Amino acid sequence: DAKTTQPPSMDCAEGRAANLPCNHSTISGNEYVYWYRQIHSQGPQYIIHGLKNNETNEMASLIITEDRKSSTLILPHATLRDTAVYYCIAANTNTGNQFYFGTGTSLTVIP
Amino acid sequence: GAVVSQHPSRVICKSGTSVKIECRSLDFQATTMFWYRQFPKKSLMLMATSNEGSKATYEQGVEKDKFLINHASLTLSTLTVTSAHPEDSSFYICSAHTGRWPDTQYFGPGTRLTVL
């Protein structure tokens, strides 16, 4: 079963930062937080993941709260191509790494 | 990044026939591959975990005799939908676990199955 909850939809103005929240209050100590996005009729695309520390890559930043019960994915300068469904997943790479997807957040970037 | 391919991208078949979908990791070896199904406007649902050289592990409610999975090599896993029916029409997506940094799953582009 999915261990994360996300708002079903969000809008963001083009060029502004998109902040997508995720709640994972039951996450265990050895589970990572993964973020993927899916554009219509395509396979999910990996964005970023982390365990405890905040992470940043060329696509996004991941902010994980100190108690690890929630996180926020930040797209610093949203473009129209960032319109997609964003999934937050909690998974343990040491025990098979199965991903159980929740319903995700449908992000619409508005011109 | 790691690349995963699927073939075919789209298939239409008649009810009662079997359909095979291939999933390949193109630039890395994947000891573990996963199969998902996604219905319109729904999220991805994990069907099974496939480990190279061993039997697949199916999620609860997924019929192993209907969805045959073979993972014969470190770069290829196949899903065969046997005796397909219209309710099996769906978007089937595979993923492969890299086992190296960033130690995550990379997904294929998906296969759209339509059973008439």
Side-chain angles (χ1 to χ4, degrees):
Chain A
D1 292 336
K3 302 175 184 177
T4 61
T5 54
Q6 300 173 250
S9 63
M10 291 181 64
D11 292 338
C12 176
E14 187 178 17
R16 304 297 293 268
N19 296 282
L20 292 89
C22 179
N23 182 290
H24 32 80
S25 59
T26 61
I27 194 170
S28 62
N30 51 9
E31 287 183 319
Y32 286 73
V33 178
Y34 293 85
W35 282 85
Y36 284 75
R37 70 182 181 185
Q38 184 180 30
I39 297 170
H40 182 63
S41 295
Q42 297 181 25
Q45 176 191 21
Y46 169 75
I47 301 173
I48 198 168
H49 78 291
L51 182 63
K52 296 180 184 178
N53 300 322
N54 298 336
E55 302 288 345
T56 296
N57 63 21
E58 65 278 6
M59 290 184 67
S61 294
L62 173 60
I63 308 297
I64 303 174
T65 58
E66 192 169 343
D67 62 9
R68 301 209 326 123
K69 292 185 177 182
S70 66
S71 62
T72 301
L73 177 74
I74 301 172
L75 307 178
H77 306 286
T79 70
L80 299 180
R81 289 183 296 178
D82 292 324
T83 293
V85 178
Y86 287 76
Y87 293 102
C88 164
I89 303 157
N92 184 350
T93 58
N94 293 323
T95 58
N97 199 36
Q98 280 88 358
F99 282 1
Y100 297 100
F101 284 76
T103 53
T105 296
S106 177
L107 174 69
T108 301
V109 180
I110 302 169
Chain B
V3 180
V4 177
S5 70
Q6 281 185 241
H7 178 79
S9 59
R10 184 181 298 268
V11 58
I12 301 173
C13 70
K14 293 182 178 180
S15 184
T17 61
S18 295
V19 175
K20 180 185 284 189
I21 302 169
E22 291 186 349
C23 176
R24 294 182 184 273
S25 56
L26 297 185
D27 54 358
F28 66 98
Q29 294 183 329
T31 54
T32 306
M33 290 183 169
F34 303 86
W35 287 95
Y36 298 81
R37 181 167 55 180
Q38 186 175 32
F39 292 108
K41 300 188 184 300
K42 298 293 186 181
S43 185
L44 282 79
M45 185 191 78
L46 179 64
M47 299 176 68
T49 302
S50 168
N51 290 299
E52 186 265 339
S54 62
K55 291 183 178 180
T57 302
Y58 291 81
E59 294 296 308
Q60 190 172 7
V62 178
E63 300 176 60
K64 63 179 181 181
D65 294 331
K66 181 167 186 60
F67 299 101
L68 301 179
I69 292 173
N70 184 277
H71 192 163
S73 78
L74 290 173
T75 59
L76 173 64
S77 176
T78 60
L79 168 69
T80 301
V81 183
T82 62
S83 186
H85 289 92
E87 56 266 31
D88 298 323
S89 297
S90 189
F91 193 50
Y92 291 88
I93 308 170
C94 73
S95 72
H97 183 210
T98 61
R100 55 177 170 83
W101 183 260
D103 194 18
T104 187
Q105 293 182 33
Y106 283 91
F107 287 80
T111 297
R112 175 77 58 193
L113 170 64
T114 302
V115 184
L116 302 178

